[in-house]
Amino acid sequence: MEKKIIYSGIQPTGLVTLGNYIGALQNWLKFQDDENYQCIYSIADLHSLTVRQVPAEFRNRALSFFAQYLACGLDPQKNIMYFQSHVHEHAELTWILNCITYIGEASRMTQFKEKSQKHPDNINMGLMDYPVLMAADILLYNTALVPVGVDQKQHLEIARDLAIRFNNAYSPTFTVPEPLISKVGAKIMSLQNPTAKMSKSDTNANATVSILDSEDDIMRKFKKAVTDSDNEIRFGEDKPGVSNLITIYASCKSISIDDAVKELQGLSYASLKEAVGASVAELLAPIKSRYNDFMNDKEQLLAIAKNGQEQASYIARKTLRKVYKKVGLVQL
C-alpha cells in the first residue's frame, strides 16, 4: 500500500514552547512510527522573508529551530526534514501556480489583510503571494494530508482550489490535499493567564515555558504560576489555574487527569507548583541535552539538512518536470 504524504512547513520563529511540544509535536511523533504515512517537514524560511529579517540572526534562528525539532524526537531516518530554500522547485512551482491564481482570491486572504495592517510600512508582493508559495509547498509532494490550525485553513483551501483548477485545465496532476485533524493533544494554557493558550508571542516572560529553558527558569516560572482562590486541588472549569497545572503534570508523566489529581491531592499550592515544575524539568532535560549536541555539531546538523534536501528534491523534481511538460514548456 502506498504511503499517504503528510506535509507541514514550520516558520523559524522564536522557540518551541511546552505547549507546542505537548499539544502538537507529541502527535507528530506518533505519525513517524505509523507505516501508513510518510511525513515531510520543512523549515519554511522563504515564507519568513515577507517580514524584514536581520540576516545573521535569521540564519541562526532557522538552524536553531531545525535543531529544536530534531531534539524533540523527529527522526530524520523516518521523516524527510529540510529547509524550504534548499529546494528551488518550491519557488519554480509558485510561478506556475501564480499564473492560474486570480488577484481577487489572493487579496481576499485574511492573513494578507491582517499582516498588511500589522506591517503597513512593508506591504510587499511576497505577503500577497504567501498562500501560493504555501500551495506549491504542499502540491510539490502529492500531499494527501496537511495538519492545519484555524488560521491556516483558508490557505489550504486555496491550495485545493489551485490543484483542482490545474488538474481540470491540464489533466490530473496534483493530489488534492485534505486537512489533517489529528487527535488533539492536551491544551496547555498560559501560566499567567490560564484562560489563554500558552504562546511564544506572549509579552510576559513568565507566561510561557520554552523547551530550552534552564531548570532554574522552569521552577521560577512555575512558582509564579497563577492558581485559584482556595487551596483545593481539583480539575474543573471553575479552576482554570489549577486545572492547567494538573494537565501539564499528567502530560509530562503520561498519566490520566484522574491519576494526576490522585498523585497531587493534599499538596499545598506551593508544593503543587513545585511538583509540576519538577515534572516539566524532567521531561525537557533530555530534549535540551540533544539540542545542545546538535548545535555544538553544526556539521552534523547541516548533513541532516542536506540529506533531507536530497530526498525532498528527488520528489519535487519529478512533480515539476510533469508540470512543465503539461503547461507546454520545452523539455531538454
Side-chain angles (χ1 to χ4, degrees), residues 12-14 48 53 56-66 68:
T13 54
S48 295
Q53 305 285 347
E57 288 177 11
F58 178 48
R59 192 177 297 113
N60 289 335
R61 195 167 68 242
L63 273 173
S64 170
F65 224 69
F66 193 60
Q68 285 177 62

Side-chain angles (χ1 to χ4, degrees), residues 6 8 28 32 38 40 62 85-86 96 121 124 129 140 145 150 172 181 183 250 290 298 300 303:
I6 295 176
S8 186
W28 291 9
Q32 72 182 8
Q38 168 65 71
I40 303 177
S85 59
H86 293 173
I96 302 294
D121 60 330
N124 54 73
D129 211 27
L140 260 180
L145 299 164
V150 176
I181 313 298
K183 182 189 167 203
R290 286 194 296 270
K298 296 278 175 63
Q300 182 199 12

Side-chain angles (χ1 to χ4, degrees), residues 193-332:
N193 177 14
T195 60
K197 254 181 101 172
M198 185 178 283
S199 169
K200 57 191 166 195
S201 60
D202 201 309
T203 53
N204 187 337
N206 291 318
T208 304
V209 173
S210 149
I211 62 165
L212 301 183
D213 278 347
S214 69
E215 184 174 349
D216 286 347
D217 282 341
I218 292 168
M219 297 307 293
R220 177 179 53 77
K221 288 178 182 182
F222 275 96
K223 281 176 185 173
K224 293 183 176 181
V226 170
T227 48
D228 307 295
S229 53
D230 60 41
N231 204 35
E232 189 184 0
I233 294 177
R234 175 171 54 78
F235 191 88
E237 285 183 18
D238 60 329
K239 295 184 71 67
V242 170
S243 296
N244 189 37
L245 293 176
I246 293 169
T247 300
I248 292 170
Y249 184 83
S251 300
C252 290
K253 296 288 189 182
S254 299
I255 59 176
S256 69
I257 293 292
D258 287 345
D259 285 343
V261 171
K262 282 176 192 167
E263 286 190 16
L264 299 168
Q265 203 61 251
L267 295 180
S268 66
Y269 277 180
S271 298
L272 167 68
K273 293 177 188 181
E274 200 172 314
V276 178
S279 72
V280 171
E282 186 182 0
L283 176 76
L284 297 183
I287 294 174
K288 198 163 52 180
S289 175
R290 286 194 296 270
Y291 169 80
N292 290 333
D293 289 344
F294 282 121
M295 290 304 286
N296 289 330
D297 188 354
K298 296 278 175 63
E299 202 173 308
Q300 182 199 12
L301 197 58
L302 292 173
I304 292 169
K306 188 172 192 312
N307 184 55
Q309 174 263 320
E310 288 169 355
Q311 293 178 76
S313 290
Y314 176 75
I315 303 168
R317 267 197 310 273
K318 288 202 299 184
T319 303
L320 194 67
R321 200 178 298 127
K322 196 188 300 182
V323 168
Y324 274 14
K325 185 177 180 182
K326 291 200 178 186
V327 299
L329 296 174
V330 175
Q331 305 289 292
L332 293 175

Side-chain angles (χ1 to χ4, degrees), residues 137-158:
D137 297 341
I138 294 165
L139 300 182
L140 260 180
Y141 300 100
N142 288 307
T143 303
L145 299 164
V146 183
V148 285
V150 176
D151 60 334
Q152 295 291 336
K153 233 173 180 179
Q154 199 181 30
H155 289 168
L156 182 60
E157 282 307 315
I158 202 170

